[in-house]
Amino acid sequence: PKGLPTVSSSYGSIEDPVNPLLYVLAYGAGFVAQGTPADMAGLADVIEEAIRFPGFAFVNVQSPCITFGHEDSQLKHHKEILQ
């Protein structure tokens, strides 16, 4: 689905969203993961696993927008959706 209107784009996104995890899986990544700074210990573990993986590894880090959002509520939301 297209994005909803925002302060910086009154018509929302004109492009379909991209899922980077599907792209790297299609390119043959043997290790694909994502994490968030809301769970720093978990994110560190995932990054260490990726470094130790003997092949193409990809880690997507979902960071909150501290410019346009409330950092605490975004960190909580990220932690909930990525568990």
Side-chain angles (χ1 to χ4, degrees), residues 3-83:
L4 297 174
T6 66
V7 174
S8 61
S9 60
S10 57
Y11 296 107
S13 175
I14 59 171
E15 299 158 343
D16 289 326
V18 173
N19 185 333
L21 303 179
L22 292 178
Y23 274 102
V24 294
L25 283 170
Y27 284 116
F31 181 95
V32 178
Q34 65 182 8
T36 176
D39 177 15
M40 197 56 81
L43 180 58
D45 290 343
V46 167
I47 291 171
E48 182 177 347
E49 286 182 64
I51 291 169
R52 294 183 186 278
F53 183 78
F56 179 20
F58 179 86
V59 177
N60 183 46
V61 178
Q62 294 280 340
S63 295
C65 176
I66 60 173
T67 302
F68 294 106
H70 295 27
E71 185 175 5
D72 292 337
S73 64
Q74 287 189 22
L75 285 173
K76 181 181 176 188
H77 176 69
H78 280 207
K79 198 170 195 176
E80 289 171 359
I81 66 170
L82 293 178
Q83 288 185 356

